[in-house]
Amino acid sequence: MACNIPMSPQLEQIHGEIRDHFRALANGFQRLDKIKDSTRQTKQLEELTDKMRDCKRLVKDFDRELKDEEANNPPEVNKQLNDEKQSMIKELNSYVALRKTYMSTLGNKKIELFDMGAGPSAEPTAEDNVQVASAMSNQELVDAGMKRMDETDQAIQRSKQVVEQTLEVGTQTAANLKGQTDQMGRVVNHLDTIQFSIKKASQLVKEIGRQVATDKCIMMFLFLIVCGVIAIIVVKIVNPNNKDIRDIPGLAPPAESRKLLYLRNPEYMGR
């Protein structure tokens, strides 16, 4: 819809964007009537809700820009601009009411960004909203639209806070899981080191056991040899004439007892 109201370039750009959003909303609700699947209808309503949110933001921008330029415009232009703003708010409210009608039909309460009632019993229909809008003054319509937009902003802010808290909890949980995984890895490595040490110790004990057994056998053999040698020496000393026992190399036979020979000499006999 063309507008012949004189506007500044900023106002004209915002006004054009708002009108583009209104055309997109009209086309979206027309397509919504042709969709039979409830899931697709819900998705389409979510997209239209995003459009309404953007449109609400643009209306706020239009209002702020209008207040900034109000001192530079003639009274007639300001009146026309205010009427245009109220007209856009009414049109936006009509789309809000239309959306609520579709929401009531679908029985889907997932999108509550433009909630205007206190409960299911207080949900107004599109016709009720049009009648109420007609009975309200321009300032009341502006206040009502701004109030609904503020409620939408608060709902969006709460949703953002919930998302941020969820992300924070998820990040903390992931960090804890990573720390526990690293700790388990260190424990497993430590257990592998202990197991390897136990195997090495077992092998060393077995080797020491074999060496001790070998040393005992050698000592026993040497003890038997020494006992045999001692026995042979004892037998040789006791019975030197025993020919059954060979002489031990390096061991001389026992010396024979010396006999003193006394020569009988007459010369000595008298002495």
Side-chain angles (χ1 to χ4, degrees):
M1 182 177 63
C3 182
N4 297 324
I5 304 174
M7 300 181 187
S8 65
Q10 293 81 1
L11 279 178
E12 187 174 359
Q13 181 180 357
I14 298 173
H15 184 268
E17 292 180 3
I18 294 173
R19 286 302 171 187
D20 291 340
H21 278 71
F22 283 157
R23 282 191 293 271
L25 288 172
N27 295 331
F29 279 110
Q30 289 178 1
R31 288 195 301 269
L32 190 62
D33 292 332
K34 300 177 182 179
I35 298 175
K36 302 301 180 182
D37 184 44
S38 60
T39 303
R40 293 180 58 192
Q41 286 180 341
T42 302
K43 185 177 180 181
Q44 180 70 12
L45 280 175
E46 291 175 353
E47 294 177 357
L48 293 175
T49 301
D50 293 336
K51 289 286 185 183
M52 294 181 200
R53 186 184 303 115
D54 293 339
C55 190
K56 178 207 70 172
R57 177 182 55 80
L58 290 172
V59 170
K60 284 187 174 182
D61 294 341
F62 187 89
D63 183 61
R64 283 194 294 268
E65 192 69 25
L66 179 60
K67 290 180 179 179
D68 292 339
E69 298 180 1
E70 189 173 5
N72 299 326
N73 294 330
E76 295 81 5
V77 175
N78 289 331
K79 184 177 183 302
Q80 292 177 355
L81 291 174
N82 284 320
D83 292 341
E84 180 65 20
K85 180 187 68 175
Q86 293 164 5
S87 175
M88 291 188 295
I89 293 174
K90 287 182 181 180
E91 188 169 357
L92 178 60
N93 289 336
S94 66
Y95 285 121
V96 171
L98 186 59
R99 170 198 164 274
K100 294 186 70 67
T101 301
Y102 278 102
M103 289 290 294
S104 178
T105 302
L106 289 175
N108 189 346
K109 300 300 181 182
K110 291 182 180 179
I111 309 173
E112 294 296 334
L113 299 178
F114 291 85
D115 191 5
M116 294 178 292
S121 61
E123 295 274 338
T125 63
E127 296 179 357
D128 293 338
N129 279 281
V130 172
Q131 292 177 358
V132 171
S134 300
M136 295 171 66
S137 65
N138 292 335
Q139 187 60 39
E140 290 175 345
L141 285 172
V142 172
D143 295 339
M146 293 300 178
K147 181 179 179 181
R148 292 169 188 172
M149 292 176 186
D150 292 338
E151 292 175 354
T152 302
D153 286 339
Q154 292 175 3
I156 294 173
Q157 188 64 29
R158 288 194 298 269
S159 301
K160 288 182 179 179
Q161 292 176 357
V162 172
V163 172
E164 290 175 356
Q165 292 175 359
T166 304
L167 290 175
E168 184 178 356
V169 172
T171 303
Q172 185 65 29
T173 303
N176 293 336
L177 289 176
K178 186 178 183 302
Q180 292 177 0
T181 303
D182 295 340
Q183 185 177 3
M184 290 297 296
R186 290 192 296 270
V187 170
V188 171
N189 294 334
H190 187 60
L191 290 176
D192 292 339
T193 304
I194 293 174
Q195 187 175 5
F196 178 75
S197 300
I198 290 174
K199 287 183 179 180
K200 294 293 289 183
S202 300
Q203 293 176 358
L204 183 61
V205 169
K206 290 180 181 179
E207 185 67 24
I208 293 174
R210 286 195 294 267
Q211 292 179 0
V212 170
T214 302
D215 293 343
K216 286 184 178 180
C217 292
I218 293 173
M219 293 296 293
M220 183 62 68
F221 184 70
L222 292 176
F223 178 73
L224 292 176
I225 292 175
V226 171
C227 290
V229 171
I230 293 173
I232 292 173
I233 292 172
V234 171
V235 173
K236 276 291 188 179
I237 294 174
V238 173
N239 190 4
N241 297 322
N242 190 351
K243 301 301 183 181
D244 295 332
I245 301 175
R246 297 176 60 183
D247 293 336
I248 299 174
L251 183 63
E256 296 180 358
S257 59
R258 295 188 305 172
K259 296 180 179 180
L260 297 176
L261 299 178
Y262 296 98
L263 298 177
R264 292 185 180 185
N265 192 337
E267 296 177 1
Y268 293 97
M269 293 297 294
R271 292 180 182 181

